[in-house]
Every structure is written in C-alpha cells, then in structure tokens.
Amino acid sequence: KRNINGRMGSTLLDGKVGNDVDIAVGRLTLGPATVVEGDVLYRSGSDASIAQTAQVASQLERLPTRGSFSTELVLTVATILGFFGFLFAGVVLLWLFRATAPRAVATIEQRPFRAAAIGGVALVILPLLVIVLAMTLVGVPVAVALLVLLALALVLAPVPAVTALGSRLLRRRHWGLFASFFAGAVIWRLGIWLIPLVGFALYLGALAAGLGGWLVAMWEQRSRTVPERELRPAATRREVRVPSVLEWAAPRAPECGVETEDVEQ
C-alpha cells in the first residue's frame, strides 16, 4: 500500500503497489498483474522486462546506475582497512623516527605556511626530477628510487600534519605524539569522507604541510648533528707532547757490579 525502496539483485513485481517504486536492481521484471499507482524509478544496467498488461500510473524511468552492491561493499571495506592501515603505519613511522618526528610536528605547529610552501614546491620538483632522471640511462635507478619515495610520501607524508592537528585539538596537554596522531587522524579522515570537495583540499594541505615538515626537520637534524670528534671524552682528546730529536737521549745500560744503594746515592 505504500512505497518499495531498496537494493536487490533481481526483482519481480506482479501485484499492486499503492505508491512509488524506487529501487537499485540488477534486473527488473513487471509481471502481467502489476499495478503501480505512482512512479517506477529503477537504477539498473539493463532495461526492465515489462508485460503488456502491466500498469504504471505515472512515469516509468531507468536511472543511471551507481554501481553494484558488491562493488560498493568492497570499496567501503577497502576504505576502512586503508584507514586502519594508515593508523598502523603512522604509529610505526613516529616510533622509528622518534628523533625527527617531534621536530617535524613542531615545525608545522609553529610555521604551518612555511612548511606547506616547502612541501608544495617539493611536490612539483620531485616528479619533474624523476622525469629528467628517467631520460638518462645512468639516472634510471635513481629515478625509480625517487618514484618509490614519492609514492610512499603520498601516503605517509601527512602523518606529522595530522599529528599537529591532533595536538591543537587536544590543546597541547602533553598527551604525547601517539594520542595526538590518533585524534588528528580521525578528524582528518572524517573531513575527507564527509565533505567531498573540501576533503580533497584537506588531503592536499596535510600532504604539503607534512612533507615540508619532514624536509625541514631532517635538514635541521642534519645541521645540528654533533661531529664525532666532539662526542669523544676529553681524556681521549688530550694532546700528547712528543719530544723533539734534540731532547731525546738514548737510555744507558746499568754498570756491572753497582749496587742499588750506590745508584740511589
């Protein structure tokens, strides 16, 4: 007596429907006893099979398909697994680079526009550098290595930017990098999923800022590295005075028959 809404693999209508039919279906069949007092709107890859005595009071229209149910299910599961994979990879990355990652997060928090500008320039220069190196026979291995690093950067570069976002959300209450990363990752991914156009801008912004934060942090870490000779203890760095040739004298052999008391006197 009312509407029929849903998603089905195959549908047979062979009775009375009091209002509209709006379904996504693989195959639709309207039997001879079909009486629909409203519209029949169906999303399918093929036209419906309609009996000659089937009656539709209003319009009968096939709409563009939005994809099969199984395809949408696979994409949804892949999206969820991808999010958990990002969380796991981010935790591993923060743990492995526990000396550089806090510096990258601090760089983004203190100078976000500078980090984003550096990361944006790197995103333009790196693909061009890969193309130039690939044109030379000698630079092909380097181009392949840069291409792999660029692919990893597209996935993992936003980690410090997401962590900085979580730190701001937690109001810098010293929850630690991991708690800030989890909080920022949830808000960031929800923004990407729920706001299509703005979500793409969120991803690009985190990508550029995160890559810039990594680059600045690695450069500062390299420039502040203490030389190896300064890490040695002071005793090992003490200069030993070597006597000159004029100051050196050959040792004399002891005389035979001389007692120890006479030598001491």
Side-chain angles (χ1 to χ4, degrees):
K1 296 181 179 181
R2 296 183 181 178
N3 301 318
I4 295 180
N5 299 309
R7 181 185 299 276
M8 291 154 273
S10 179
T11 303
L12 168 63
L13 294 180
D14 201 12
K16 184 178 180 179
V17 180
N19 207 345
D20 298 330
V21 176
D22 187 357
I23 57 176
V25 63
R27 181 176 178 80
L28 174 63
T29 302
L30 302 183
T34 300
V35 177
V36 180
E37 297 183 356
D39 300 331
V40 175
L41 305 175
Y42 67 101
R43 296 173 178 84
S44 177
S46 59
D47 294 331
S49 177
I50 305 172
Q52 294 182 355
T53 57
Q55 301 177 21
V56 178
S58 186
Q59 61 177 340
L60 173 63
E61 183 178 359
R62 180 167 72 93
L63 302 176
T65 180
R66 297 176 180 174
S68 63
F69 176 76
S70 58
T71 302
E72 292 184 0
L73 179 62
V74 170
L75 292 177
T76 302
V77 173
T79 302
I80 296 174
L81 292 179
F83 174 65
F84 284 105
F86 176 75
L87 290 179
F88 177 76
V91 170
V92 173
L93 197 67
L94 293 175
W95 181 78
L96 288 177
F97 298 94
R98 47 189 177 273
T100 308
R103 192 185 302 274
V105 175
T107 299
I108 297 172
E109 285 185 314
Q110 299 170 3
R111 296 165 289 178
F113 296 105
R114 178 172 178 262
I118 294 174
V121 172
L123 288 174
V124 175
I125 293 178
L126 286 178
L128 296 177
L129 185 60
V130 169
I131 295 174
V132 172
L133 290 174
M135 293 179 179
T136 62
L137 183 61
V138 180
V140 170
V142 181
V144 173
L146 285 178
L147 189 61
V148 173
L149 291 177
L150 186 60
L152 292 176
L154 294 177
V155 179
L156 300 178
V159 169
V162 170
T163 307
L165 174 63
S167 178
R168 290 291 183 90
L169 294 175
L170 297 178
R171 298 181 180 179
R172 302 177 181 177
R173 294 180 179 178
H174 304 289
W175 287 68
L177 284 181
F178 297 109
S180 300
F181 170 68
F182 277 108
V186 171
I187 299 301
W188 180 60
R189 282 303 180 107
L190 285 177
I192 293 176
W193 290 339
L194 300 179
I195 315 174
L197 296 179
V198 179
F200 184 70
L202 287 176
Y203 170 74
L204 287 181
L207 176 63
L211 183 58
W214 280 121
L215 294 175
V216 172
M218 287 187 293
W219 178 260
E220 292 180 352
Q221 186 75 17
R222 176 184 176 276
S223 60
R224 295 182 182 182
T225 302
V226 181
E228 183 181 356
R229 59 184 179 84
E230 296 184 7
L231 294 176
R232 299 174 184 174
T236 61
R237 290 187 285 110
R238 184 177 58 187
E239 295 182 359
V240 179
R241 182 175 177 272
V242 180
S244 63
V245 179
L246 298 178
E247 296 176 346
W248 182 83
R252 293 183 301 173
E255 297 180 0
C256 297
V258 179
E259 297 181 358
T260 306
E261 293 181 358
D262 295 338
V263 174
E264 290 181 355
Q265 293 176 0

